[in-house]
């Protein structure tokens, strides 16, 4: 647990811009906390009255490790409101971090961005000082200038570059590590409408980041392409590792961890995201790939690597279903451990563990689900599964235990809790199989087991 003193950074407020952050969800709330911890006054804005109330109380509606420690420790630097005009008029830089959900074409919808853009513009119209607008939400290339900029200019009746500026500045974060990633990024990406706007945002990040990262400034369109290209490159790496896992399972003596450990030593490849396991999940990676393909199609370009990456990812759950069906008796009992898409979050979007539980609970198997943080969300999505209050309760009567999320808690599963002969299907290879010898049959994904 983060200590209060680690969440604070006493700094001089002289000449520091005041910030407003529109959207207090899974990224917006941590941004409020992180920026305040670096000595900036921050006004959070959201249409949801409960989100606003919680921020003002030093709490948050979203789960993120240490987030509430930061909010409480820096409460004097933070306020929240539902009044967009008030927030913009009392700040110098406005960050937009509202949802951009996928539409029927797999494009990112700009509906909420445009709505708040109009409100920002109406407030800028009343200002006499320069105001910088920063779009952080993920969008498809060309969306910022095609949809947000005209709304800002029209509603403010002001001139870009003279009266207000516009930047595209996406974050590269992982849920469960958001504050750390904001304060210590690999690099900062700034798409600038003009040099003045880019320089202001660059100076801001020099005061925010603790690790002096590279700051890459470019046009807005190139920043939009860079954001979505980076995410789809990472997913390609994940699907490549999963392809190797499937191959290693088929070849006698094959072990994906041995192979990827060696591959990752090459600096051209690296170890990150090179883990043969379940596919990529969550609110970003799956939809980013689909949006990238949609964007390319609009310009008459095909993306065969991204297409293959997506196909491999979609194949993971069906291929694992086939393996499990051979290991569990008809109408048997299955424990699914983990429905959050990764540890340290309660987000279940595109969760393959959730999909697995759903499919098997509809096939006349008795499915029990347990997750340390995502149970409330899972109950909204699973109609036929049972829900366990503890790890011990979930695994006690299971014929097969399917480890879908590598939560630290699952490593502490005690052999005494298990039924003799249970199958341990470990997608992430987090268990020590020696602990369960003579009790369970251990099946590690990505390893050839005779």
């Amino acid at each position: 647990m983060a200590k209060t003193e680690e969440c604070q950074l006493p700094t001089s407020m002289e000449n520091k811009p005041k910030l407003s952050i529109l959207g207090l969800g899974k990224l917006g709330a941590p941004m409020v906390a992180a920026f305040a911890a670096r000595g900036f006054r921050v006004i959070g804005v959201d249409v949801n009255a409960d989100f606003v109330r919680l921020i003002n109380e030093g709490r948050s509606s979203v789960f993120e490790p240490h987030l509430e420690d930061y909010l409480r420790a820096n409460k004097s630097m933070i306020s929240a409101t539902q009044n967009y005009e008030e927030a913009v008029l009392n700040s110098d830089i406005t960050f937009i971090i509202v949802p951009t959900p996928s539409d029927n074409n797999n494009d990112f919808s700009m509906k909420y961005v445009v709505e708040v853009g109009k409100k920002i513009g109406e407030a800028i119209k009343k200002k006499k000082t320069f105001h910088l607008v920063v779009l952080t939400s993920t969008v498809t290339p060309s969306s910022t200038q095609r949809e947000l900029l005209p709304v800002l200019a029209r509603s403010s009746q002001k001139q870009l570059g003279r009266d207000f500026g516009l930047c595209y500045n996406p974050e590269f974060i992982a849920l469960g590590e958001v504050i750390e990633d904001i304060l210590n990024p690999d690099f900062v990406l700034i798409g600038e409408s003009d040099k003045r706007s880019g320089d202001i945002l660059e100076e801001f990040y020099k005061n925010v980041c603790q690790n002096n990262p590279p700051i890459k400034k470019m046009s807005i369109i190139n920043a939009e392409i860079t954001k979505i290209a980076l995410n789809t490159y990472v997913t390609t790496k994940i699907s490549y590792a999963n392809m190797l896992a499937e191959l290693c399972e088929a070849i006698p003596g094959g072990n994906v961890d041995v192979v990827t450990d060696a591959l990752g030593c090459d600096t051209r490849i690296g170890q990150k995201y090179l883990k043969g396991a379940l596919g990529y999940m969550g609110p970003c990676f799956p939809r980013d790939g689909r949006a990238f393909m949609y964007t390319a199609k609009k310009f008459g370009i095909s993306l065969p690597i991204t297409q293959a990456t997506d196909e491999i990812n979609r194949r993971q759950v069906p291929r694992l279903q086939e393996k499990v069906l051979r290991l569990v008796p008809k109408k048997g009992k299955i424990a699914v451990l983990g429905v959050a898409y990764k540890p340290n979050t309660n987000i279940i979007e595109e969760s393959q563990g959730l999909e697995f539980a759903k499919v098997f609970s509809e096939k006349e198997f008795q499915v029990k689900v347990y997750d340390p943080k995502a149970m409330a969300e899972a109950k909204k999505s699973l109609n036929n599964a049972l829900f366990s209050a503890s790890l011990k309760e979930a695994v006690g009567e299971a014929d097969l235990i399917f480890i879908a999320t590598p939560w630290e808690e699952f490593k502490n599963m005690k052999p005494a809790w298990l039924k003799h002969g249970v199958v341990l299907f470990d997608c992430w290879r987090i268990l020590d199989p020696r602990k369960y010898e003579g009790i369970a049959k251990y099946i590690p994904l990505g390893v050839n087991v005779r």
Side-chain angles (χ1 to χ4, degrees):
M1 179 67 67
K3 297 178 181 178
T4 298
E5 58 266 26
E6 294 173 340
C7 304
Q8 293 176 308
L9 182 75
T11 56
S12 168
M13 285 303 299
E14 186 178 359
N15 298 324
K16 283 201 170 186
K18 296 180 178 63
L19 316 175
S20 51
I21 296 178
L22 312 189
L24 297 174
K26 54 184 175 285
L27 178 54
M31 285 175 66
V32 169
F35 293 162
R38 297 297 288 167
F40 291 88
R41 293 200 177 276
V42 188
I43 305 170
V45 189
D46 204 285
V47 294
N48 189 308
D50 287 335
F51 288 12
V52 169
R53 174 181 56 80
L54 289 168
I55 292 292
N56 282 325
E57 293 173 356
R59 299 190 291 151
S60 174
S61 63
V62 299
F63 170 72
E64 179 67 31
H66 310 315
L67 172 56
E68 293 197 346
D69 297 323
Y70 275 82
L71 290 172
R72 287 192 297 267
N74 299 284
K75 195 174 178 181
S76 64
M77 305 296 290
I78 298 168
S79 63
T81 179
Q82 291 181 275
N83 190 320
Y84 288 80
E85 181 177 288
E86 172 191 333
V88 175
L89 290 177
N90 289 284
S91 60
D92 305 295
I93 304 175
T94 295
F95 291 85
I96 302 173
I97 184 59
V98 297
T100 50
S102 299
D103 63 19
N104 293 333
N105 294 317
N106 290 321
D107 195 8
F108 293 119
S109 170
M110 292 286 284
K111 175 184 176 182
Y112 301 114
V113 172
V114 169
E115 285 179 3
V116 299
K118 183 174 184 292
K119 294 176 182 179
I120 293 167
E122 290 169 349
I124 290 175
K125 184 178 181 180
K126 299 180 180 180
K127 296 192 71 171
K128 295 181 179 180
T129 55
F130 186 87
H131 194 91
L132 178 59
V133 180
V134 181
L135 178 59
T136 299
S137 307
T138 302
V139 299
T140 45
S142 77
S143 298
T144 305
Q145 288 168 291
R146 187 183 69 246
E147 299 192 50
L148 176 58
L149 178 54
V151 169
L152 289 170
R154 186 167 57 248
S155 57
S156 69
Q157 297 181 16
K158 296 285 184 74
Q159 184 176 324
L160 177 69
R162 185 192 68 189
D163 305 305
F164 74 94
L166 177 62
C167 287
Y168 179 62
N169 169 232
E171 297 283 358
F172 298 94
I173 55 91
L175 295 178
E177 304 167 18
V178 175
I179 295 175
E180 175 64 20
D181 287 348
I182 290 172
L183 298 180
N184 296 280
D186 288 337
F187 77 108
V188 175
L189 178 63
I190 296 175
E192 57 186 18
S193 62
D194 57 275
K195 187 176 186 302
R196 179 184 183 183
S197 298
D199 288 349
I200 290 171
L201 195 56
E202 179 180 15
E203 185 62 26
F204 166 73
Y205 276 109
K206 285 179 178 177
N207 285 278
V208 167
C209 299
Q210 297 173 322
N211 61 335
N212 192 30
I215 296 178
K216 297 296 182 180
K217 293 197 297 182
M218 60 192 69
S219 68
I220 288 175
I221 186 69
N222 280 324
E224 290 170 326
I225 295 170
T226 300
K227 163 63 177 177
I228 201 164
L230 189 150
N231 280 4
T232 52
Y233 188 92
V234 170
T235 57
T236 299
K237 198 172 180 181
I238 293 169
S239 279
Y240 190 87
N242 289 343
M243 178 186 73
L244 289 177
E246 188 172 359
L247 179 66
C248 287
E249 289 169 18
I251 298 176
N255 186 316
V256 70
D257 286 334
V258 174
V259 174
T260 56
D261 180 62
L263 286 177
C265 292
D266 191 311
T267 56
R268 295 171 298 178
I269 298 174
Q271 299 283 0
K272 286 187 175 181
Y273 291 97
L274 201 65
K275 176 81 173 178
L278 286 181
Y280 53 86
M281 308 172 244
C284 297
F285 283 165
R287 72 190 193 119
D288 283 6
R290 296 191 285 267
F292 204 32
M293 288 186 283
Y294 170 76
T295 298
K297 187 177 180 180
K298 286 196 300 182
F299 291 95
I301 302 296
S302 63
L303 301 177
I305 294 176
T306 305
Q307 178 69 39
T309 295
D310 184 60
E311 290 173 359
I312 291 170
N313 201 59
R314 292 174 186 270
R315 195 172 72 232
Q316 295 310 302
V317 171
R319 88 174 188 89
L320 295 182
Q321 289 169 12
E322 292 179 10
K323 293 175 74 72
V324 167
L325 282 170
R326 296 195 293 267
L327 296 167
V328 67
K330 188 176 181 180
K331 296 186 178 182
K333 297 178 180 179
I334 300 174
V336 177
L337 303 185
V339 288
Y341 88 95
K342 59 167 288 184
N344 296 321
T345 184
N346 61 350
I347 304 298
I348 62 171
E349 288 179 57
E350 302 273 356
S351 163
Q352 294 192 351
L354 184 75
E355 185 181 348
F356 184 91
K358 185 177 295 185
V359 168
F360 273 87
S361 63
E362 292 171 354
K363 286 183 177 290
E364 297 186 355
F365 290 92
Q366 184 189 95
V367 176
K368 282 189 175 181
V369 173
Y370 174 70
D371 189 286
K373 290 293 181 182
M375 295 293 278
E377 296 302 316
K379 288 176 182 178
K380 299 174 187 176
S381 301
L382 294 172
N383 296 321
N384 301 312
L386 302 174
F387 299 92
S388 299
S390 67
L391 175 61
K392 181 180 180 180
E393 179 186 325
V395 302
E397 298 178 356
D399 298 303
L400 182 140
I401 298 169
F402 187 88
I403 302 177
T405 310
W407 283 97
E408 192 69 23
E409 180 183 344
F410 299 161
K411 296 179 184 179
N412 300 320
M413 184 167 54
K414 297 185 184 303
W417 297 346
L418 308 181
K419 184 168 73 173
H420 191 272
V422 63
V423 176
L424 294 177
F425 199 99
D426 189 354
C427 294
W428 296 88
R429 300 172 299 284
I430 63 172
L431 300 181
D432 180 354
R434 294 170 297 183
K435 288 175 57 177
Y436 307 97
E437 285 180 358
I439 298 172
K441 180 179 182 180
Y442 182 69
I443 305 291
L445 189 65
V447 179
N448 181 265
V449 180
R450 294 180 180 178

